[in-house]
């Protein structure tokens, strides 16, 4: 994990990415909206963005928030793989993973008619850890004096 200052300095390095792309958007993206978003991203955004010249090193920047952020990451990564364009994930960590897992679990419960299992937070935490393990860089955006526990309680 590195600081924001260090990450910004490294972006300008010779071996830094040719293209840096990220997305943030609506948290409450519903399941019915997701396919339309992914289709639009792949047809109308990603193709023109990566059209010419083809980049050799792309950095996908994400906070792994549920909704549009995560939808964009999944769509962009799948598209880049299909097009044979190498990429790396850069996570801008604005929430501790355990808090992000709470958000993911709450978001998933909005999209279902069934009760969220008690272990949903644990499942979400494991998925987040897997995504973080796949990141080239994790940038710490958390305040140094952040108290333990639920950040929403402050």
């Amino acid at each position: 994990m590195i600081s924001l200052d260090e990450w910004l300095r490294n972006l300008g390095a010779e071996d830094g990415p040719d293209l840096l792309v990220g997305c943030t958007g609506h948290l409450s993206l519903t399941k019915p909206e997701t396919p339309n978003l992914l289709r639009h991203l792949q047809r109308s955004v990603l193709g023109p963005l990566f059209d010419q010249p083809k980049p050799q090193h792309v950095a996908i920047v994400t906070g792994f928030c549920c909704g549009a952020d995560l939808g964009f990451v999944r769509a962009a990564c799948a598209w880049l793989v299909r097009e044979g364009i190498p990429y790396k994930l850069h996570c801008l960590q604005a929430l501790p993973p355990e808090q992000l897992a709470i958000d993911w679990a709450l978001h998933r419960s909005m999209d279902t008619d069934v009760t969220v299992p008690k272990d949903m937070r644990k499942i979400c935490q494991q998925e987040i850890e897997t995504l973080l393990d796949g990141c080239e860089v994790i940038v710490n955006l958390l305040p140094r004096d952040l108290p333990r526990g639920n950040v929403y309680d402050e």
Side-chain angles (χ1 to χ4, degrees):
M1 188 173 301
I2 63 173
S3 71
L4 179 60
D5 289 339
E6 185 178 351
W7 180 68
L8 291 171
R9 277 193 308 274
N10 291 341
L11 287 178
E14 280 187 37
D15 62 345
D18 300 335
L19 182 63
L20 184 71
V21 66
C23 168
T24 189
H26 203 276
L27 172 67
S28 297
L29 189 64
T30 63
K31 280 189 178 182
E33 293 171 318
T34 301
N36 186 43
L37 167 76
L38 300 180
R39 196 170 34 261
H40 178 69
L41 281 170
Q42 292 177 348
R43 290 182 184 164
S44 304
V45 177
L46 296 170
L49 182 64
F50 293 99
D51 196 19
Q52 303 218 3
K54 198 177 224 183
Q56 298 302 307
H57 180 185
V58 175
I60 301 293
V61 181
T62 181
F64 289 128
C65 294
C66 46
D69 295 31
L70 199 53
F72 172 78
V73 168
R74 289 181 173 149
C77 293
W79 189 89
L80 290 166
V81 166
R82 212 171 35 252
E83 294 296 315
I85 300 173
Y87 72 91
K88 301 286 185 174
L89 288 174
H90 290 212
C91 177
L92 302 182
Q93 190 174 42
L95 286 174
E98 54 276 0
Q99 188 64 50
L100 199 54
I102 293 169
D103 287 356
W104 280 30
L106 289 172
H107 185 262
R108 286 182 184 175
S109 70
M110 293 183 339
D111 283 343
T112 63
D113 294 331
V114 297
T115 306
V116 176
K118 291 181 181 180
D119 61 345
M120 179 59 75
R121 205 182 290 179
K122 184 177 179 181
I123 292 167
C124 291
Q125 176 85 29
Q126 290 169 341
E127 290 176 27
I128 291 165
E129 294 297 334
T130 299
L131 287 171
L132 290 172
D133 287 345
C135 289
E136 178 182 58
V137 178
I138 300 173
V139 183
N140 185 10
L141 300 181
L142 300 169
R144 289 189 180 141
D145 58 349
L146 183 71
R148 300 296 265 165
N150 189 338
V151 295
Y152 298 132
D153 289 342
E154 297 303 310

